[in-house]
Amino acid sequence: REVVLAAVQKDGHALGYASLDLKADREVVLAAFQQNGNALMYDIAPELKNDREVTLVAVKQNGTALVFANQELRNDREIVLAAVKNDGGALFFASPELRADQEIVYYATNELFFD
């Protein structure tokens, strides 16, 4: 466990090589997502994949990780707002309802054009 934890802290994509048990370990998964939000692409335990806090950590690190979130979380205003503040392009992966949200669109375009 400690070896994998150290590995994902250096490169979140190391999570892809972890055992299923470690992909169900909240601390290991969060460490991977803090290093690289796109590690959300890996087959982690369903309870973590559907966990709001875990997804929020991923999109705060890399907004486009929203593409790997489930539909319910793509419709979560706080998660989508965090994603577009990190990368305006994440707007593309939000639910249709949130793509029409003025505040979210504002932050997405502001990040794309003024950062």
Side-chain angles (χ1 to χ4, degrees), residues 32-113:
F33 293 174
Q34 287 168 344
Q35 198 286 320
N36 189 326
N38 276 336
L40 186 57
M41 73 174 69
Y42 298 111
D43 290 327
I44 60 173
E47 63 272 13
L48 294 177
K49 187 80 165 183
N50 298 320
D51 185 288
R52 214 175 156 272
E53 178 192 351
V54 169
T55 300
L56 191 57
V57 167
V59 301
K60 281 184 175 181
Q61 196 287 324
N62 186 327
T64 59
L66 187 62
V67 69
F68 303 114
N70 68 38
Q71 282 304 116
E72 180 183 337
L73 295 173
R74 289 182 191 199
N75 196 39
D76 183 300
R77 193 169 192 287
E78 182 183 2
I79 288 175
V80 172
L81 193 55
V84 300
K85 284 181 176 181
N86 176 272
D87 185 328
L91 183 64
F92 182 76
F93 307 115
S95 69
E97 297 84 23
L98 292 181
R99 285 196 305 260
D101 181 293
Q102 282 186 321
E103 183 182 14
I104 289 173
V105 171
Y106 169 81
Y107 280 108
T109 55
N110 196 42
E111 195 285 324
L112 282 170
F113 298 111

Side-chain angles (χ1 to χ4, degrees), residues 22-40:
L22 292 175
K23 288 179 182 174
D25 185 305
R26 186 178 190 84
E27 184 181 1
V28 170
V29 169
L30 284 172
F33 293 174
Q34 287 168 344
Q35 198 286 320
N36 189 326
N38 276 336
L40 186 57

